[in-house]
Every structure is written in structure tokens, then in C-alpha cells.
Amino acid sequence: MITLSINGLPASVEKGTTVLEAARFLGFPIPTLCHKEGLTPYGACRLCVVEIGEGPGARLVSSCTYPAEEGLKVRTASERVMKARRMIIELLLASCPQSKTIQDLASRHNVRQQRFRQEHENCILCGLCVRMCKEQMMAGAIGFRGRGKNRSIGTPFDMRSEECRLCGGCMQICPACQARCTYTEPERAICGGCANLSPPCLEKEQFTDMMCYMSPCVACEIKKD
Amino acid sequence: MDTERILSIIRSSNGKGGIISILEEIQEEFTYLPEAALRLVAKETERSLADIYGVATFYKAFSLKPRGRHCVSACLGTACHVRGARTIVEEFKEQLHVSPGETTPDKEITFETVNCLGACALGPIVVSDEHYFANVTARGVRDIIQGTKDGTYGSNGRGREDLFSLEVSCPTCNRSLMDKEQYLYDHPAILVNVSMNGKKGRLRISSLYGHFAEIREHDIPNDTIVNLSCPHCSANLRSGPGCVECGAPTASMRVNGGDGVMRICTRTGCSGHMLDLDGEGTGQ
Ligand code: SF4
Ligand code: SF4
Ligand code: SF4
Ligand code: FES
Ligand code: FES
């Protein structure tokens, strides 16, 4: 067992537990975006920052990937943490303002505007879809491609992937495209999150066993007419 | 595409895992990474094609498009940039009629720009196949292109196989001039002292015959005749007949294991190098 202190409260956790898990166990909320139970932590969005250590040695780390250490002192909502978190939310808003998930985060953290150049990306490169596809759907059909400003998500060679099971899991988990599926115009009714994938619903005829997790989505119904 | 060849590349790295080294080898063989090759790699290494594709598109060293027989890269890193690399790149663009990243229509040369090759002090740097050019000027571009087309510097991803390495020693004190500390192109460099107008320094020359890349410690302008001497006994190496290319004096070194003499021109920038294996001093 490892004993650490979170916001002054002592906690004993198993070796291998992350700071995020320990904090949540004690009931301290830490917002996450690229972390989902059942998928390996990835540390992409940095939303889950916490402050560790004390005095001048104190630093910010991503709690979803930081393992609990003996004697570690963690602050989950210090001024420095909140400032960093709000900055991250501003940056997310600057890139994907249409995402319901990000809008909700912004309102919960009282971020009313962002100061950067407004873009309209449909991906924040959180890697959730890639991990979903690989670790839960056992398909490994999509992945990251390129790097730097050319980094994107999609299938190899941008071609219909033979491995894809058309399960829709990637779109279900995507935090950036969820707002898209409420489109009522059928020709625009694609999730857009994984812009390079054809939406499974639109290929339903060829794939009778398709399961889609998007319960409020109406795109499929529109297609039927 | 040669499936057998690719399979043997993959299997020879068997178990050692390194995707990058497999891809490097395939690229060396085919000048690029064909789609079918990536599919084979994924299958054989039991990884998803998405992972392999991710690696292949991440590194700039890999190309998914066929490349030319030769590859010329101009450095646009910070140091080379301030030393005028822009004009060099413009010059290449104009003479080759391609933009960086493209291949000439005759499939001879792929022209690229890179960000720092780690030889900043010698910039602007241009690499043609396996050969590094230091202090490149716009005027020198034409020669580099010609030499590249002639295959002087090797071919894409591969050094010239007909180059061989020489070991030389000082004709006066007989001590070896090979520098085991500094390798150039996988072979110890030849180390001599160089002086000119009271300035002294060291000069390292590649020991590959016919190659002769140099590292100069000082900024010695091209077209200057310098004095080369032995770093052990300080004997002047200048001797013998003039350079066949330009007539300037030559410096000679004894080739180990025989009576041979290697002569190099003492005029900087001159490619006059002669090998004279019977020791008669006539040059070739
Ligand atoms: S729909 Fe295809 S790409 Fe998306 S998670 Fe399922 S298998 Fe992977
Ligand atoms: S497509 Fe969605 S889930 Fe996938 S990396 Fe982008 S934002 Fe994340
Ligand atoms: S049903 Fe909706 S969420 Fe599912 S793939 Fe179609 S458009 Fe996207
Ligand atoms: S949730 Fe921890 S970095 Fe995204
Ligand atoms: S900047 Fe060109 S070699 Fe470093």
C-alpha cells in the first residue's frame, strides 16, 4: 500500500493506482477528457492537471498518467491548477467550439470566451477513438497519421479499412463530434469527428449486424426514407 | 514489388522488433515505402496496419511516394538559414525545376529541405546522397547537381560501393595519419595539420578514395593553397608533381602496406587526388 495526501487528506492506495483514481476515490472531482475507464491512460488533453510537491519544487502533472507515490502531496484545485485548466479549456474552445463536451466543460469552469484565433477543427487528437477501436473493439482500424500540424486520425491510406467492424464505437466516444449527429440534413449527417470514416449508419444495408451507440441520433432514420 | 525481398528484410530483423529499422531497410531498397510493403510488415509483425502507417507517416525520413535515384537535401535549420541557405534552396529550385519534396520528372533527383543536420558551424550544408557539402554557395549548386547526376556521391540511401578506404602514414616519420577518434563515413579520417598565412589548424579528410569530404577547423576560403604537415613530426607533406586538375603543388602520404603514395592537391576546394600505387610519382 502507498500512502499519499490529497488536498491534505491522507489516502492509502494499491501500488499502480494513478493520482486521478486516488483523488476520485476520496471524492475529489478532477475533470478529464482523454481519459475513459477501460482504456489505457494517454495523457493527451492535460485537463486533469494537478499540482504535486511543495514550495518551489511544486509542479503540474497529468493525474490520469501519474502513479501514486509514497508521501506524495497532491493539490487538485489550487489556484495554479485552476488557471492551467482554464487555459486548456480556452485552447480547446479555440479549436473545437462546436463540441458539446467542450462547451459543457467551459461553462462548468466559468470560461466565457477564449483569446485565441478561432478555428473549427473536428478533432482534438485526444486519441480516444484510436484506443476504443483497438482496445475495446479489437479492430485497430484507425490510428494517428503524420505529425505536427498535419497530425490526423483516420484509416491507413485513407481507404475503407478491412478491419473496421462498423461498430460506431469511435464516434460514440469522440468528444469533438457529438454535437454533429443532431444534424437533420441527411447529406450532412455524418459525425465528422473521424472525418475520414464513412459513418456506419449510411452503409447499413451492407452490414446487417451493425450496432450504433448514438441513441439520440436521427441520421439513420432520415436515410431510410 | 519484390515480396520475397521484403519478407527477408522483415524476417532478418526477426523478433528484434524494431519497426523503424525494418521500414528503413525497405526504404533503402525501394527508395520509398510501397503500400503492399506496409501491409506485409503489419501482417508479419502482427501489428495493425494503422500503427505501421502511423510510424511511416510520422517520420520525415520515410516517404510513401517513389523517390528519385538520388536525393539532395538542403539544410534550412536556423544556423544554415542565417548563413544564406534560402538562396541555395532557391537556386536548387530554379535549376532542378522542382519544389522541395518533389522529384525531377526524369526520376533522377529528389530535392528536399531538412531542419539541421548537426553540422551548423559549417553551414550552409547540402547533402547529396551520402556526401556532405559545407559552406555551399549558390554558385556551387550547379556542380553539386552535376556530380549527383553522375553518381559521384552514391545513390539514394546508399553509399558508393566502389569506394575503398586507405590507411596512410607520414612519409618522413612513418607514423600513422589515421585518426581513430574521428570517423568519417564509417572509416577513420586522415588527420593532418594545415597552415596558411600564419593561421594553423587541423584538417580531417575522409579516407575513402575518390570521396574526400573534409572537415576544416578554420574557415579557409576556397581556392587557397595551404601547407599540409604531419601532426607528429611537423614535416611538410608538400612534394612531388603538380595537381593534374589545377597544377597546384600536391602533398603526399604513404599508403600503408605497400610502396603506394597518395597525393592530394593543396589548393582548397580542388578535387585533385591521385593514387600512385607503384610509388613512381606520375599520378594517374
Ligand atoms: S467503427 Fe470501425 S474504426 Fe470505429 S471503433 Fe468500430 S471498428 Fe474501429
Ligand atoms: S476523432 Fe474524436 S475521439 Fe478521435 S482523436 Fe479526434 S477528438 Fe478524439
Ligand atoms: S447513427 Fe448518428 S452517430 Fe451513429 S454513425 Fe450515424 S450519424 Fe453517426
Ligand atoms: S484526462 Fe488526463 S491528460 Fe487527458
Ligand atoms: S542548421 Fe544546418 S546543419 Fe544545423
Side-chain angles (χ1 to χ4, degrees):
Chain A
M1 293 299 263
I2 290 173
T3 312
L4 70 167
S5 106
I6 302 179
N7 297 342
L9 273 189
S12 288
V13 294
E14 298 267 341
K15 195 171 184 301
T17 312
T18 62
V19 170
L20 176 71
E21 285 161 337
R24 287 194 168 165
F25 178 71
L26 286 187
F28 292 116
I30 296 178
T32 54
L33 188 52
C34 72
H35 176 84
K36 283 262 151 53
E37 239 164 76
L39 300 179
T40 36
Y42 187 59
C45 72
R46 319 311 283 181
L47 195 66
C48 63
V49 283
V50 294
E51 196 175 9
I52 59 167
E54 279 172 312
R59 59 196 180 101
L60 296 177
V61 296
S62 58
S63 61
C64 68
T65 51
Y66 203 89
E69 287 165 358
E70 187 59 44
L72 194 69
K73 292 207 166 37
V74 182
R75 281 173 305 285
T76 64
S78 65
E79 203 177 308
R80 187 171 169 203
V81 166
M82 297 315 281
K83 207 172 152 216
R85 214 170 264 163
R86 274 197 293 270
M87 172 63 90
I88 292 163
I89 294 173
E90 272 191 56
L91 288 165
L92 287 169
L93 271 183
S95 99
C96 276
Q98 74 282 19
S99 154
K100 180 79 167 58
T101 313
I102 294 170
Q103 290 167 6
D104 288 351
L105 275 170
S107 77
R108 237 179 288 137
H109 288 81
N110 206 13
V111 177
R112 295 293 152 91
Q113 52 187 340
Q114 59 87 7
R115 293 161 284 174
F116 305 98
R117 185 158 54 95
Q118 188 63 60
E119 286 175 4
H120 291 87
E121 299 291 339
N122 47 25
C123 175
I124 55 167
L125 299 172
C126 67
L128 275 174
C129 54
V130 176
R131 281 172 288 150
M132 178 71 156
C133 185
K134 185 176 187 164
E135 295 169 15
Q136 291 295 335
M137 301 309 173
M138 308 302 166
I142 49 175
F144 286 102
R145 296 119 19 116
R147 71 163 155 185
K149 66 181 190 339
N150 297 324
R151 197 137 169 94
S152 68
I153 298 280
T155 55
F157 305 103
D158 270 334
M159 288 192 297
R160 188 90 191 71
S161 160
E162 283 146 37
E163 281 82 38
C164 175
R165 320 153 69 125
L166 304 178
C167 64
C170 49
M171 298 177 212
Q172 189 268 337
I173 204 167
C174 177
C177 68
Q178 281 169 357
R180 300 294 187 84
C181 282
T182 51
Y183 281 141
T184 45
E185 301 137 85
E187 66 281 4
R188 289 178 64 196
I190 33 171
C191 293
C194 296
N196 295 313
L197 294 171
S198 33
C201 57
L202 303 181
E203 292 186 24
K204 218 170 175 179
E205 293 84 16
Q206 299 126 51
F207 202 81
T208 41
D209 294 335
M210 196 200 81
M211 301 174 286
C212 177
Y213 299 85
M214 301 304 275
S215 50
C217 176
V218 287
C220 309
E221 301 310 314
I222 293 165
K223 174 91 189 317
K224 263 187 218 144
D225 307 336
Chain B
M1 196 192 62
D2 187 346
T3 313
E4 282 309 308
R5 181 73 195 106
I6 293 174
L7 282 178
S8 80
I9 290 176
I10 301 171
R11 295 200 176 124
S12 68
S13 80
N14 191 13
K16 278 178 250 136
I19 292 292
I20 292 181
S21 62
I22 296 177
L23 296 184
E24 267 178 340
E25 250 181 86
I26 295 175
Q27 165 136 326
E28 193 169 301
E29 187 79 25
F30 299 93
T31 76
Y32 76 112
L33 299 173
E35 180 184 330
L38 293 187
R39 290 187 188 276
L40 266 178
V41 173
K43 195 160 147 246
E44 291 291 314
T45 59
E46 294 174 7
R47 279 174 232 237
S48 69
L49 181 60
D51 283 352
I52 307 290
Y53 188 80
V55 173
T57 54
F58 186 85
Y59 294 101
K60 212 175 162 184
F62 294 129
S63 167
L64 296 183
K65 285 192 298 217
R67 300 221 271 189
R69 203 172 328 219
H70 304 287
C71 181
V72 174
S73 327
C75 179
L76 267 186
T78 317
C80 290
H81 198 281
V82 297
R83 285 165 174 250
R86 271 269 147 229
T87 54
I88 312 273
V89 170
E90 288 308 315
E91 191 67 25
F92 271 110
K93 275 162 74 175
E94 196 169 310
Q95 295 200 20
L96 293 171
H97 305 291
V98 294
S99 305
E102 292 177 0
T103 303
T104 53
D106 58 4
K107 296 265 171 294
E108 277 293 327
I109 297 182
T110 299
F111 176 57
E112 284 175 347
T113 58
V114 288
N115 300 325
C116 194
L117 290 153
C120 312
L122 301 171
I125 300 274
V126 168
V127 185
S128 164
D129 293 324
E130 298 278 283
H131 191 103
Y132 282 65
F133 292 87
N135 303 310
V136 177
T137 58
R139 266 199 305 161
V141 166
R142 186 167 301 277
D143 284 349
I144 296 180
I145 294 178
Q146 194 52 50
T148 306
K149 284 194 178 148
D150 296 345
T152 322
Y153 314 120
S155 64
N156 209 339
R158 238 183 271 222
R160 237 172 70 174
E161 273 146 22
D162 56 343
L163 293 178
F164 54 94
S165 160
L166 292 173
E167 298 232 326
V168 294
S169 46
C170 168
T172 311
C173 70
N174 246 339
R175 271 179 280 188
S176 171
L177 296 174
M178 307 311 292
D179 183 1
K180 305 276 181 206
E181 316 263 284
Q182 172 90 44
Y183 276 61
L184 269 175
Y185 304 100
D186 289 342
H187 295 282
I190 300 171
L191 172 68
V192 292
N193 282 349
V194 55
S195 64
M196 162 232 165
N197 293 344
K199 272 207 266 181
K200 284 198 170 107
R202 295 186 160 218
L203 175 72
R204 289 186 172 82
I205 313 166
S206 158
S207 62
L208 288 181
Y209 186 70
H211 199 296
F212 304 111
E214 311 173 336
I215 302 185
R216 301 179 202 158
E217 247 173 34
H218 279 300
D219 266 344
I220 302 171
N222 267 350
D223 257 351
T224 322
I225 295 183
V226 295
N227 265 318
L228 300 180
S229 55
C230 169
H232 308 292
C233 68
S234 303
N236 196 332
L237 298 170
R238 191 188 282 186
S239 70
C243 165
V244 281
E245 304 256 334
C246 69
T250 55
S252 45
M253 300 162 212
R254 214 171 51 79
V255 178
N256 292 358
D259 301 327
V261 172
M262 183 178 84
R263 295 180 199 290
I264 64 170
C265 181
T266 55
R267 194 169 61 85
T268 51
C270 174
S271 58
H273 293 84
M274 292 141 271
L275 186 62
D276 180 353
L277 284 177
D278 53 14
E280 290 295 303
T282 42
Q284 64 164 24

